[in-house]
Amino acid sequence: MKKLILVFMGAIAISCGDNKKEEKPAMQIGTQVEEKAAPAEVDDTVAKVTIEGNDQMKFNKSEIRVKAGQKVVLTLKHVGTMDVTVMGHNWALLTQDADMAAVGQAAASAKDTDYIPTDMADKIIVHTKMLGGGETDTIEFEAPAPGTYTFMCTFPGHYALMQGKFIVE
C-alpha cells in the first residue's frame, strides 16, 4: 500500500509541473538549406556576399542581389571535405550573353587553367580560384550594369546543379 501511495504521489508531482514545452527548431541532419533570394549584406558602397559550395554539388544560394556599380566583396567557402581534384568548386560570373552550357562544356577540358576556358574568357566577368574542401577564396569586383547574370561553378559537370542568378538592380 505504501508503494502505491508513493507511485501516486510521484505521478501527481510530475503532473503538477509547468506544462509549457520549450519549442526547439527541428534539426536537419545532413542537409544544407538553400537560400533562394539572398540579398547581399549591403551598405551604400559595398555588398558583402558569402556563398558556400558543398560535397553534394550545391551552392547555398541560388540568387544574389546587388546594386549597379557597387563594390562587391564575394567570399566562396567550400564547406565540404573532398579534395579539389574530386569535388573542386569555384564561382564564376558570366556575361549576360554567355551560354552557360557552352561555358561549362569548354571548362570541362580546361584543367590546366583551373577549368576557366581561355577561349571563353570574354564570357566570364570574374571568378574565384578553384577550391577543395575546407578552403575559402574572396574576390572583389564592381557590379556590372543592371540586369540578370548567371553565376556557376566551372568544375566539369557542376554547372548543371551549381548555378544561380546574379541580379544587378
Side-chain angles (χ1 to χ4, degrees):
M1 182 70 168
K2 288 182 183 181
K3 288 182 184 178
L4 184 59
I5 292 174
L6 287 176
V7 170
F8 181 70
M9 294 300 285
I12 289 174
I14 291 171
S15 66
C16 290
D18 189 3
N19 284 337
K20 293 181 184 177
K21 289 186 178 180
E22 181 181 329
E23 291 188 31
K24 296 181 183 176
M27 281 184 53
Q28 293 184 352
I29 300 172
T31 62
Q32 185 171 3
V33 177
E34 179 180 306
E35 300 172 27
K36 176 149 174 54
E41 182 182 315
V42 179
D43 68 22
D44 289 341
T45 59
V46 179
K48 293 181 181 178
V49 180
T50 300
I51 186 165
E52 298 175 352
N54 62 27
D55 286 344
Q56 290 76 41
M57 289 187 351
K58 297 274 187 183
F59 282 132
N60 70 329
K61 292 176 173 53
S62 61
E63 187 176 287
I64 298 169
R65 291 181 179 269
V66 298
K67 294 179 181 175
Q70 190 173 40
K71 179 180 177 180
V72 178
V73 178
L74 183 132
T75 300
L76 172 64
K77 293 181 178 183
H78 190 319
V79 297
T81 58
M82 293 183 175
D83 188 72
V84 67
T85 59
V86 178
M87 188 59 65
H89 298 315
N90 68 356
W91 184 92
L93 180 62
L94 307 184
T95 60
Q96 285 183 303
D97 66 336
D99 178 338
M100 181 179 57
V103 172
Q105 290 169 0
S109 60
K111 182 178 181 181
D112 293 341
T113 55
D114 257 358
Y115 301 107
I116 299 295
T118 55
D119 60 334
M120 297 202 122
D122 62 330
K123 300 296 181 190
I124 299 173
I125 297 170
V126 65
H127 64 87
T128 65
K129 66 182 183 178
M130 192 63 64
L131 304 176
E135 296 180 325
T136 299
D137 188 29
T138 299
I139 56 173
E140 294 182 16
F141 60 98
E142 185 176 305
T148 300
Y149 300 78
T150 298
F151 66 82
M152 64 183 278
C153 174
T154 63
F155 193 86
H158 286 198
Y159 74 92
L161 297 173
M162 298 186 79
Q163 58 175 285
K165 298 296 176 195
F166 189 83
I167 299 169
V168 182
E169 300 169 332

